[in-house]
Amino acid sequence: MLGLLIDRDLKLLRFMGQWQFMQVAQCARYLGCSEQVARRRLRALKQLGLVTVVVPFADMKQVYWVTTEGIKLVRGVVPANSPKLGPKLSQFEHDRILVDIAVDFAVANQDYDIYGEIEMRRVDAEAVAQNESTRFAIKRWQAARQVNVFPDMSAVKNGRRFVIEYEHTQKDRARLQSLMSAYANSSEVAAIKYYASPAAFPQLSRVYEHLLPNLPHVGGKPKVQIEQYEEGSE
């Protein structure tokens, strides 16, 4: 099978395996090619059983995700308790826009290693199985106990970890405040960027302003930054 693949295919499979799904235009931007070329490579990957495709809504474009065979090819094994990939209709817009943000970051910062939540959970699960320290889980308080949380995305360079979160809808204020504080106070995270849709940004701003006086600083700026995200603005 490897003889039928090119480096670009493997690069795309590794990246796709970190997200619930990707669309053709996103794949093309990530690879730096035309949508026609991206569609042709995705068609080849589908024929090999490495990706699958659906049209989730009648008026939507196709979405692709990596199959179990594709994950096995790029990871060597299929992780135990690995999540089911593919579009989840209840969070479709969040996941779609998150990939847009991830692709834009990856293209602009090619010297960073990009991790989606799926990949972060896999890496940490392997560490736990080998009695090693986890790399990505952040502890936060919930109902008087500490729980592990994972961001939407991490970017790592020279051992420094940059975290990105995307808020598509309003979260419970107390939960959002707890999460933001956990990231800000984590010694394992160098900086955090929150993006939010126009609908979610007002609440995010209120929580941020409340925490701002006590936020640690990095390079003269608050360790946590926020920005309203509108499609086409990046």
Side-chain angles (χ1 to χ4, degrees):
M1 181 182 293
L2 284 174
L4 301 174
L5 301 174
I6 59 177
D7 290 344
R8 179 180 285 178
D9 296 330
L10 296 173
K11 175 183 177 181
L12 180 59
L13 282 173
R14 292 188 186 98
F15 190 76
M16 287 183 71
Q18 308 203 43
W19 318 103
Q20 288 297 136
F21 63 86
M22 290 181 69
Q23 296 178 314
V24 173
Q26 294 169 332
C27 295
R29 291 208 317 276
Y30 177 70
L31 293 175
C33 65
S34 68
E35 289 188 28
Q36 182 180 9
V37 170
R39 188 173 287 106
R40 185 165 63 244
R41 297 317 307 165
L42 287 165
R43 189 180 302 121
L45 292 173
K46 182 177 183 298
Q47 291 173 347
L48 291 171
L50 302 177
V51 303
T52 191
V53 57
V54 298
V55 177
F57 305 103
D59 59 344
M60 287 293 294
K61 298 178 180 179
Q62 293 175 324
V63 301
Y64 292 80
W65 65 93
V66 183
T67 63
T68 300
E69 285 302 313
I71 293 293
K72 185 176 180 180
L73 176 67
V74 296
R75 305 295 181 220
V77 296
V78 178
N81 302 317
S82 57
K84 181 180 179 181
L85 302 187
K88 298 178 180 178
L89 300 188
S90 62
Q91 61 188 57
F92 183 86
E93 286 302 307
H94 171 276
D95 292 345
R96 181 180 65 81
I97 295 173
L98 173 62
V99 173
D100 276 339
I101 293 170
V103 169
D104 288 341
F105 186 96
V107 170
N109 301 276
Q110 298 188 28
D111 51 348
Y112 279 80
D113 294 323
I114 309 299
Y115 297 83
E117 182 179 350
I118 293 169
E119 179 70 355
M120 286 185 274
R121 288 183 179 276
R122 182 192 70 81
V123 170
D124 275 12
E126 288 184 357
V128 169
Q130 298 173 16
N131 294 316
E132 298 176 353
S133 299
T134 57
R135 290 180 57 190
F136 294 104
I138 300 295
K139 302 287 187 182
R140 81 171 180 92
W141 287 100
Q142 177 178 300
R145 65 187 181 91
Q146 281 194 325
V147 297
N148 288 333
V149 293
F150 293 85
D152 286 327
M153 173 185 147
S154 286
V156 180
K157 177 182 177 182
N158 298 328
R160 288 172 57 83
R161 180 179 167 204
F162 176 50
V163 161
I164 286 180
E165 286 275 35
Y166 172 62
E167 304 295 337
H168 188 65
T169 57
Q170 288 191 11
K171 271 194 176 82
D172 174 79
R173 183 186 175 105
R175 179 167 177 256
L176 180 59
Q177 184 170 314
S178 174
L179 283 167
M180 192 178 290
S181 296
Y183 289 136
N185 294 315
S186 172
S187 60
E188 299 172 357
V189 176
I192 306 96
K193 181 65 171 287
Y194 269 87
Y195 291 97
S197 69
F201 189 74
Q203 184 197 48
L204 179 68
S205 297
R206 290 190 292 270
V207 170
Y208 182 71
E209 292 298 327
H210 175 74
L211 294 176
L212 188 56
N214 297 311
L215 288 178
H217 281 60
V218 175
K221 296 181 180 180
K223 187 175 177 180
V224 180
Q225 296 288 312
I226 65 172
E227 182 178 325
Q228 180 169 301
Y229 184 86
E230 297 185 66
E231 291 191 74
S233 64
E234 285 293 282

